[in-house]
């Protein structure tokens, strides 16, 4: 059996299954897991090559109307709209979009921001900033804790939007350990770069976010099976974001450009490593 695709949006996997059933008369095997719905095909199927190509086209545009139409024709559309009790909406939302580690980092960032409103910024900054003195170099948490502190509400909300969207996809598909390693790596290397460029007076999750963006860009562009559904023009948006970081000081806004750029570079490297690992794993399974 060969894995064709995996989708955390169950309806998408069902749409593709019905599309293949209608077009080729082939019944794909559906497996439901905590990480999402998976579709498999027998490797000796006479339409194996054609269906494999179909899966690649599907991953490039999973919301093409032809796939949903296939489900309407199959008469299974009622399966895709299960009714839920309204009281469970919030619980279902957190389970879907904030698995444990994604939620943990989000809550720490929010908690520190709220705490600073009550006790002031200075105690938070002094406890969490990047090592600035010799005796602080041995305080290991400082090499990543700077990423958890935010200087304004817009700063916090923008970073958490990207963190929750990209982080929850990685955690649900690869596990919390992988996301934790990525978070620590991006926070560490972006912090080193920003400290080297401008000193230790910097805070925010931006370096980590740019790392996740680089990681997602590689997998979305080159992986045969990508969990990310990035909009067209996403790469251009990131370039514009980086350029605006150099323009911002002209209007009195300080931006951690070194953290952004280094985070993106490390993220791209991590994406390439992940891509190589996936292909090596797929080769060993065939």
């Amino acid at each position: 059996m060969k894995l064709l695709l995996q989708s955390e949006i169950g309806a998408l996997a069902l749409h593709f299954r019905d599309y293949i059933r209608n077009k080729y008369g082939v019944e794909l095997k559906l497996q439901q897991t905590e990480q999402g719905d998976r579709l498999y095909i027998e490797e000796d199927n006479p339409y194996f090559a054609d269906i494999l190509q179909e899966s690649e086209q599907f991953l490039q545009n999973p919301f093409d109307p032809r796939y949903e139409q296939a489900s309407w024709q199959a008469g299974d559309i009622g399966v895709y709209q299960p009714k839920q009790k309204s009281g469970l909406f919030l619980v279902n939302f957190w389970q879907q979009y904030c698995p444990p580690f994604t939620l943990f980092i989000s809550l720490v960032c929010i908690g520190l921001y709220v705490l600073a409103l009550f006790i002031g910024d200075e105690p938070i900054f002094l406890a969490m900033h990047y090592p600035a003195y010799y005796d602080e170099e041995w305080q290991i948490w400082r090499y990543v804790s700077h990423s958890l502190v935010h200087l304004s509400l817009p700063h916090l909300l923008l970073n958490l939007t990207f963190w929750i969207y990209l982080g929850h996809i990685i955690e649900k598909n690869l596990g919390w350990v992988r996301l934790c390693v990525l978070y620590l790596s991006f926070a560490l290397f972006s912090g080193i770069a920003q400290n080297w460029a401008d000193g230790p007076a910097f805070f925010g999750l931006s370096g980590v976010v740019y790392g996740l963006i680089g990681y997602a860009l590689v997998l979305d562009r080159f992986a045969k099976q990508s969990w990310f559904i990035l909009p067209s023009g996403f790469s251009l948006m990131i370039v514009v974001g980086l350029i605006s970081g150099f323009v911002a000081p002209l209007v009195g806004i300080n931006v951690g450009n070194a953290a952004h750029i280094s985070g993106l570079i490390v993220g791209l490297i991590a994406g390439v490593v992940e891509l190589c690992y996936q292909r090596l794993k797929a080769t060993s399974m065939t």
Side-chain angles (χ1 to χ4, degrees):
M1 298 289 287
K2 180 175 179 60
L3 177 65
L4 277 178
L5 60 89
Q6 174 176 303
S7 173
E8 61 182 20
I9 305 176
L12 295 183
L14 294 174
H15 290 337
F16 183 72
R17 181 201 64 181
D18 293 337
Y19 173 78
I20 294 300
R21 178 194 293 161
N22 292 348
K23 184 172 182 179
Y24 296 96
V26 173
E27 189 68 32
L28 302 178
K29 180 181 178 182
L30 175 67
Q31 180 185 30
Q32 296 179 322
T33 69
E34 293 182 356
Q35 290 74 36
D37 289 353
R38 298 176 178 178
L39 286 176
Y40 294 87
I41 184 175
E42 296 284 353
E43 295 188 35
D44 58 354
N45 190 288
Y47 297 105
F48 178 81
D50 294 329
I51 294 176
L52 186 62
Q53 185 176 4
E54 291 275 9
S55 69
E56 293 175 355
Q57 295 176 0
F58 172 79
L59 290 172
Q60 293 175 3
N61 186 15
F63 296 102
D64 190 301
R66 59 179 170 167
Y67 301 118
E68 186 173 0
Q69 290 171 3
S71 294
W72 279 102
Q73 294 170 6
D76 293 337
I77 196 65
V79 176
Y80 309 145
Q81 304 291 339
K83 295 183 179 180
Q84 298 175 346
K85 296 180 179 179
S86 58
L88 296 178
F89 173 78
L90 188 59
V91 174
N92 291 333
F93 176 84
W94 286 117
Q95 289 177 343
Q96 179 72 15
Y97 295 105
C98 275
F101 188 74
T102 305
L103 178 60
F104 171 73
I105 295 298
S106 302
L107 291 179
V108 172
C109 291
I110 295 171
L112 288 173
Y113 180 78
V114 172
L115 182 61
L117 296 178
F118 287 96
I119 68 173
D121 294 336
E122 187 174 357
I124 304 296
F125 293 170
L126 290 176
M128 308 293 280
H129 71 74
Y130 192 88
Y133 306 104
Y134 177 77
D135 60 334
E136 294 176 344
E137 293 179 357
W138 304 102
Q139 298 173 356
I140 305 300
W141 74 86
R142 293 186 180 275
Y143 292 95
V144 297
S145 61
H146 55 85
S147 67
L148 302 172
V149 179
H150 292 81
L151 306 178
S152 67
L153 185 58
H155 187 209
L156 172 67
L157 294 178
L158 180 62
N159 280 339
L160 286 188
T161 298
F162 280 94
W163 164 256
I164 291 173
Y165 174 67
L166 297 174
H168 96 275
I169 295 176
I170 296 171
E171 184 171 357
K172 291 191 70 174
N173 288 280
L174 298 175
W176 74 269
V177 174
R178 185 74 57 86
L179 180 60
C180 180
V181 170
L182 291 174
Y183 163 74
L184 293 174
S185 300
F186 299 155
L188 175 63
F189 285 106
S190 64
I192 291 173
Q194 187 62 40
N195 180 64
W196 177 81
D198 293 317
F202 60 89
F203 295 98
L205 202 61
S206 304
V208 174
V209 163
Y210 270 93
L212 295 181
I213 288 172
Y215 182 83
L217 281 173
V218 172
L219 295 181
D220 182 66
R221 177 64 180 84
F222 297 105
K224 289 186 176 180
Q225 177 186 336
S226 174
W227 310 291
F228 304 97
I229 304 177
L230 302 182
S232 58
F234 188 79
S235 300
L236 178 60
M237 182 179 69
I238 299 308
V239 173
V240 172
L242 290 173
I243 294 175
S244 65
F246 290 94
V247 177
L250 300 179
V251 293
I253 301 176
N254 294 321
V255 178
N257 292 311
H260 295 176
I261 295 172
S262 60
L264 181 62
I265 292 173
V266 176
L268 292 171
I269 294 172
V272 172
V273 172
E274 179 66 41
L275 186 66
C276 293
Y277 171 75
Q278 286 186 13
R279 292 183 175 178
L280 182 63
K281 184 178 179 180
T283 301
S284 64
M285 293 176 61
T286 57

